[in-house]
Amino acid sequence: MIFTVAIDGPAAAGKGTISRAVAARFGFAHLDTGLLYRAVGAKGGDPVAAARGLTEADLARDDLRTLAAGQAASKVAAVPAVRAALVEFQRRFARRNGGAVLDGRDIGTVICPDAAVKLYVTASPETRAHRRWLELGGDAAQVLAEVLERDARDMGRADAPLRPAEDAVVLDTTDMTIDAAVARAVAVIDARLAARGQG
Ligand code: DC
């Protein structure tokens, strides 16, 4: 069975947690596509060459979750040739047998426009910054400034900007517990599987 779930949204909206939970719930494979851009940014040097030569070891680095790695990722992600180099890998992953969840910024709009389910997970910038701060610590005002800076770059770039696909279900997690957000995502996927006769 090919069944792709596309989960897009801005930084720290809850995409990762929701993606991992629904992948476990349905037995789907999960790809955090932000990790690809983080690995390219962390490699340094020519980002296009880094994207073309990305290896498993690059993705396994333990310094990819920092604020600095997020900023570097957001910068290399604005380079069209970097994005182009990563398209095929993501599409192949999405088509794997048994179902796949991909989370990122352009999954429902560019990578998998035919995904069976598209979710756009968002929350207010203040809420997202607070969650990132709880996770990583540091100066709260600076964390908020970095969230806003990354939003502006990811939404404002010319190539594959962050925006909800027209047919995406929008999930605003600002006032939701993570359990409620996961339950809502599961309900959307259940309904789609049932509509396909696979529920
Ligand atoms: O989801 P994340 O915070 O790990 O993503 C890091 C950066 O990578 C994000 O600021 C923009 C970029 N990105 C992207 O452009 N397209 C994706 N599908 C995923 C991430």
Side-chain angles (χ1 to χ4, degrees):
M1 171 192 70
I2 293 175
F3 190 93
T4 307
V5 180
I7 304 189
D8 292 304
K15 300 186 300 291
T17 310
I18 293 172
S19 299
R20 282 188 296 276
V22 299
R25 166 81 168 66
F26 292 97
F28 296 161
H30 171 224
L31 179 65
D32 167 4
T33 65
L35 214 53
L36 304 176
Y37 295 92
R38 286 172 181 263
V40 170
K43 268 188 116 172
D46 173 15
V48 179
R52 288 182 181 150
L54 212 58
T55 64
E56 290 287 329
D58 295 328
L59 298 177
R61 288 173 65 138
D62 61 7
D63 60 350
L64 298 181
R65 295 281 169 205
T66 63
L67 285 178
Q71 287 291 358
S74 168
K75 286 178 188 157
V76 299
V79 179
V82 166
R83 307 198 68 82
L86 300 175
V87 166
E88 245 339 281
F89 175 77
Q90 295 174 83
R91 288 196 177 141
R92 226 177 309 120
F93 191 97
R95 285 194 301 264
R96 66 168 49 200
N97 200 18
V101 182
L102 286 81
D103 73 278
R105 302 290 186 290
D106 63 339
I107 308 303
T109 50
V110 173
I111 302 296
C112 304
D114 298 327
V117 172
K118 297 182 187 178
L119 294 174
Y120 188 85
V121 181
T122 188
S124 73
E126 292 73 20
T127 301
R128 292 187 285 117
H130 183 64
R131 289 177 188 161
R132 230 345 89 90
W133 176 78
L134 287 176
E135 191 187 328
L136 298 174
D139 177 64
Q142 196 202 333
V143 175
L144 175 59
E146 296 217 7
V147 160
L148 292 172
E149 186 186 333
R150 207 132 72 84
D151 281 0
R153 198 184 298 111
D154 295 346
M155 293 174 185
R157 68 183 176 221
D159 190 17
L162 170 64
R163 59 175 178 79
E166 271 173 25
D167 50 350
V169 174
V170 177
L171 206 56
D172 187 331
T173 67
T174 305
D175 297 313
M176 260 187 187
T177 63
I178 190 61
D179 286 350
V182 168
R184 179 90 179 89
V186 165
V188 172
I189 296 168
D190 268 337
R192 192 79 186 107
L193 283 167
R196 284 197 170 188
Q198 287 163 331

